[in-house]
Every structure is written in structure tokens, then in C-alpha cells.
Amino acid sequence: MGVRAARAGLPDPVPPGGIGPWRFVVWFGVVSLLADFVYEGARSVTGPLLASLGASALVVGVVTGAGEAAALGLRLVSGPLADRTRRFWGLSIGGYALTVLSVPPLGVVGVLWAACALVIAERVGRAVRSPAKDTLLAHATAATGRGRGFAVHEAMDQVGALVGPLTVAGVLALSGDAYGPALGVLAAPGAAVLGLLFWLRARVPDPEAYERQVTAPPGTLAPAGPPPCPPSARRLPTPAAGHQHEPRRPVRRHPRPR
């Protein structure tokens, strides 16, 4: 049950799609796991791949640096764009699509400039999706607890970041350092990423519903009015209706005879 819903005695918020907030967080964690499988697997061999196409150390450094700058700097554009358009699903799916579609061709392009463009495009996809994706997760984690929800998502994300490079390294070892098969195997998790995203969007078109349902209306969490008196509190007797106390008359003291 959601954190706020439990405190308020409300039922666990479930949107029309029938997916509760925890299931949404876990499924989005699977998306991030598979996406990290793809691009972290590719990033683990970016330098040797570009070098095999004739790139110098300077070119490799410039291309990877430009990619990281794009991944970070363009968020200053994609974040406000997501807020203004409210198209969080569209930007998330578009960013993921740009990433997973840029990686598999890296092993077969055979031209340095095209490989450099694909490396940078993959990083641009991360910049496009990150603010919108985090917003979708923030709506769901309002019901699960933001710290716990993001912790689960990040843990699954790191699993993909570990498995991806190991898979690419294994395929390289088996294929005699052939980049085509090593990066080609990343097409399968990439396709799974897009399939899961479209499925999630169809089931939960408005994740903000999670946050709306756990926001209790005024007076739900605490009763209106002053707090009740405890049973042990003493109550002073109140005068009966129409009864008036007579004013006290001054006591006259007579002088004692001497």
C-alpha cells in the first residue's frame, strides 16, 4: 500500500489500467535495466571501436566528451520542454528509441564519421528522455515512497549496466573481436525496451493519477475542529439555563464595645 494512502486509511491507488504504483516502478525498472544493457554495453567498447576505424586518441576523447556534454547540457532544453508540453510519455519513448536504434549499427557502419555521429546520437537520446522519465517515476513514487521507489529503480538500472558490458565482452571473445555480432546482440534488449514502453503507456496513460489519488482532501488526515478532550479531563459544572448567581452582599462588621 502507498505510504500516504496507508496513513490516511485509503485504498492503494490503482489507475484505470489496473497497474499499481509498485508494479509501475518495477516495470519501469525493467525498461531501464534493458536500456542500460544496450548503451552501457556499447559504451564499454566505444574507444576501441572508434580506434579500429582510424580514430586517434584525440578524436576518441573529443567524440566521447561531446556525447557526455550533450547528455547533460541538453537536459536544460528537454526538461522545460517536457514541463511546457506535458508530453512525458512521448519524450521518454522518443529518447529511448534514439538510444536503442543508434547502438546496433555501430558495429557495421565501417565509417568513422558515421560511428561518431551514432555515439553522440545515443547520448542525445539520454538527454531527451531523462527529465520526462524521472517525472513519470516521480508520480508513481508519490504512492510508494520516493526514496524507496527510486532506490528500486536505480538498483535495477545498475544491473543492466553490469550485464551489458559483460555480454559484449563475451561475444567479442567468442567472435574473435568482431564488433558486428557483439553490438548486434544488443538489438534484442533494445526492441524489448520499446515494446515495454508502448505497453506501459497503453496501460497507464496518465501516471499522475497515482499522485492525485494519494493526495488526501482537506480534513481527511485529521478531523476538523478542536481536538476532543480526554476522558480523564475534569469538566467544570455549568449553570442551568435561566439560573443567575446572586451577587454577594458585603459583610458589615460592628465595632466591639470597649
Side-chain angles (χ1 to χ4, degrees), residues 138-237:
H139 291 319
T141 55
T144 64
R146 298 198 191 276
R148 289 188 296 173
F150 274 98
V152 169
H153 176 268
E154 187 64 22
M156 299 179 70
D157 184 273
Q158 294 304 312
V159 170
L162 173 64
V163 176
L166 292 177
T167 302
V168 171
V171 176
L172 282 173
L174 294 175
S175 62
D177 292 338
Y179 289 105
L183 296 176
V185 299
L186 301 178
V193 166
L194 296 180
L196 279 175
L197 283 171
F198 282 112
W199 176 76
L200 270 178
R201 182 183 182 180
R203 295 296 300 274
V204 190
D206 182 23
E208 194 174 356
Y210 294 121
E211 193 163 1
R212 288 196 299 266
Q213 290 185 26
V214 298
T215 304
T220 300
L221 296 179
C229 297
S232 59
R234 296 182 178 179
R235 297 184 179 179
L236 297 176

Side-chain angles (χ1 to χ4, degrees), residues 5-241:
R7 291 177 181 174
L10 301 174
D12 195 26
V14 178
I19 297 181
W22 266 120
R23 289 182 62 193
F24 183 86
V25 169
V26 170
W27 276 116
F28 227 116
V30 174
V31 169
S32 292
L33 186 155
L34 294 172
D36 266 41
F37 189 117
V38 174
Y39 66 77
E40 293 293 352
R43 291 181 68 197
S44 65
V45 295
T46 296
L49 171 63
L50 296 180
S52 69
L53 297 176
S56 63
L58 176 62
V59 172
V60 173
V62 169
V63 171
T64 55
E68 291 304 315
L72 298 175
L74 290 179
R75 299 184 194 195
L76 298 175
V77 177
S78 61
L81 179 64
D83 283 337
R84 185 168 62 253
T85 62
R86 311 294 295 177
R87 299 184 62 181
F88 301 116
W89 274 120
L91 290 170
S92 297
I93 294 174
Y96 275 113
L98 183 57
T99 290
V100 300
L101 294 177
S102 298
V103 168
L106 275 172
V108 296
V109 288
V111 182
L112 179 60
W113 68 266
C116 293
L118 289 172
V119 169
I120 295 175
E122 182 272 314
R123 295 281 84 192
V124 171
R126 184 177 179 86
V128 171
R129 72 175 181 266
S130 291
K133 176 204 71 173
D134 289 344
T135 302
L136 296 175
L137 280 171
H139 291 319
T141 55
T144 64
R146 298 198 191 276
R148 289 188 296 173
F150 274 98
V152 169
H153 176 268
E154 187 64 22
M156 299 179 70
D157 184 273
Q158 294 304 312
V159 170
L162 173 64
V163 176
L166 292 177
T167 302
V168 171
V171 176
L172 282 173
L174 294 175
S175 62
D177 292 338
Y179 289 105
L183 296 176
V185 299
L186 301 178
V193 166
L194 296 180
L196 279 175
L197 283 171
F198 282 112
W199 176 76
L200 270 178
R201 182 183 182 180
R203 295 296 300 274
V204 190
D206 182 23
E208 194 174 356
Y210 294 121
E211 193 163 1
R212 288 196 299 266
Q213 290 185 26
V214 298
T215 304
T220 300
L221 296 179
C229 297
S232 59
R234 296 182 178 179
R235 297 184 179 179
L236 297 176
T238 56

